[in-house]
Amino acid sequence: MAAAPLQPVPPPAAVNGDAFRVGFIGPGNLAESIARGVAASGVLPANAIRTAPHRRPERGTAFASIGACLLDTNAQVVDDSDVIVISVKPQIVKQVILELKPLLSDEKLLVSIAAGVKMKDLQDWSGQRRIIRVMPNTPSAVRQAASVMCLGEMATQKDANRVRSLFSAIGKVWTAEEKYFDAVTGLSGSGPAYIFLAIEAMADGGVAAGLPRDLALGLASQTVLGAATMVSETGKHPGQLKDQVTSPAGTTIAGVQELEKGAFRGTLISAVVAAAKRCCELS
């Protein structure tokens, strides 16, 4: 049973000198991940987060468990928020924004995390220019997202800092021009699926070599995590790290040779390009 809607609360205490309210239009799983990260990291207190009931009562319950403020309608969320995150499915973004358009103003920052919805469309539907578009990915669920944001023409540096603080609570954030967003989708948006396949295949290889399934899967996933952390934290090029572990005539180079025979790198490159192309076709 969803928690009873709460009334708007007084302004939240300032965090790092900047107090603001963030409202989620659409309390889905990604919105919940952001909200939990924001509250857990201390970027904002939980009572600075608000959303409205959803057709699935458990969504409201999930936000209530964070300590977020549940309001009766999306209109109330807009009215009681400084930053409004559009977190509904891409196919209904236009409908939702048009319904909220009379309530939007230059005093409110509009943030969209809807995949494939262009800045121009967001501006046309909302009548606003103070907009930031963000492309996170599914590892936001474990606070390891790779997010990219682009700023609308009226978005300020303060706006950018606020959005960066929100999404830094669930991972790392980059800023890029919108023209790169199809490629971003092909790489970081679709990329987790490529890595899941690689982990599954490595685990299957371990089983084929004689390992128990649970041990093989654990080793494969931890190996990918450790390798990614080495790239991220050492600053070394992946090729340099690969060379450090490939001894002459050793086991690793024998495995790498098999990957090269199968066009491993070329196939990954083609996957990113194909996903980016498909994103362009759909948007």
Side-chain angles (χ1 to χ4, degrees):
M1 180 177 178
L6 303 177
Q7 294 303 310
V9 296
V15 178
N16 296 324
D18 184 22
F20 62 96
R21 297 184 178 105
V22 58
F24 291 91
I25 305 299
N29 291 328
L30 180 53
E32 180 191 347
S33 294
I34 298 168
R36 286 191 181 279
V38 166
S41 65
V43 171
L44 290 174
N47 66 1
I49 301 167
R50 52 264 291 109
T51 193
H54 192 270
R55 65 181 182 278
R56 290 183 295 162
E58 67 269 18
R59 293 283 80 226
T61 302
F63 270 77
S65 71
I66 302 169
C69 179
L70 297 183
L71 302 178
D72 291 320
T73 64
N74 284 338
Q76 287 181 329
V77 173
V78 171
D79 183 62
D80 198 41
S81 301
D82 304 297
V83 177
I84 302 154
V85 180
I86 304 298
S87 47
V88 296
K89 298 292 185 182
Q91 58 267 30
I92 64 170
V93 168
K94 180 178 180 179
Q95 173 191 338
V96 168
I97 291 181
L98 289 176
E99 291 174 354
L100 297 176
K101 183 175 180 178
L103 304 171
L104 301 175
S105 70
D106 292 341
E107 296 179 356
K108 298 181 183 295
L109 172 63
L110 194 63
V111 177
S112 172
I113 60 173
V117 180
K118 302 292 188 184
M119 181 71 74
K120 183 181 184 304
D121 290 330
L122 294 169
Q123 292 174 341
D124 290 345
W125 300 335
S126 68
Q128 301 298 314
R129 294 293 182 271
R130 191 181 168 202
I131 302 174
I132 293 180
R133 182 183 171 195
V134 185
M135 179 67 189
N137 63 359
T138 55
S140 60
V142 291
R143 299 180 197 169
Q144 292 295 328
S147 301
V148 181
M149 68 179 188
C150 70
L151 278 60
E153 58 190 61
M154 296 300 292
T156 66
Q157 187 58 52
K158 183 176 182 179
D159 293 337
N161 290 342
R162 283 181 167 181
V163 172
R164 183 175 294 277
S165 72
L166 294 176
F167 286 86
S168 292
I170 57 165
K172 295 185 178 181
V173 186
W174 289 263
T175 302
E177 296 177 48
E178 189 180 37
K179 66 181 181 181
Y180 296 119
F181 267 44
D182 289 340
V184 167
T185 299
L187 178 55
S188 59
S190 301
Y194 315 152
I195 305 305
F196 296 149
L197 281 174
I199 292 172
E200 181 184 33
M202 289 173 64
D204 285 347
V207 172
L211 293 177
R213 170 65 65 181
D214 57 346
L215 177 58
L217 183 58
L219 289 174
S221 58
Q222 182 60 33
T223 297
V224 170
L225 175 61
T229 303
M230 287 185 71
V231 173
S232 178
E233 295 191 359
T234 67
K236 294 181 179 180
H237 189 278
Q240 182 181 359
L241 293 170
K242 180 263 296 178
D243 288 348
Q244 290 176 356
V245 76
T246 50
S247 304
T251 59
T252 302
I253 195 62
V256 169
Q257 183 178 19
E258 291 302 309
L259 293 175
E260 295 290 7
K261 287 179 182 178
F264 179 72
R265 287 189 290 184
T267 301
L268 281 178
I269 291 169
S270 296
V272 173
V273 173
K277 180 180 178 181
R278 184 57 177 157
C279 181
C280 183
E281 293 170 349
L282 291 174
S283 61

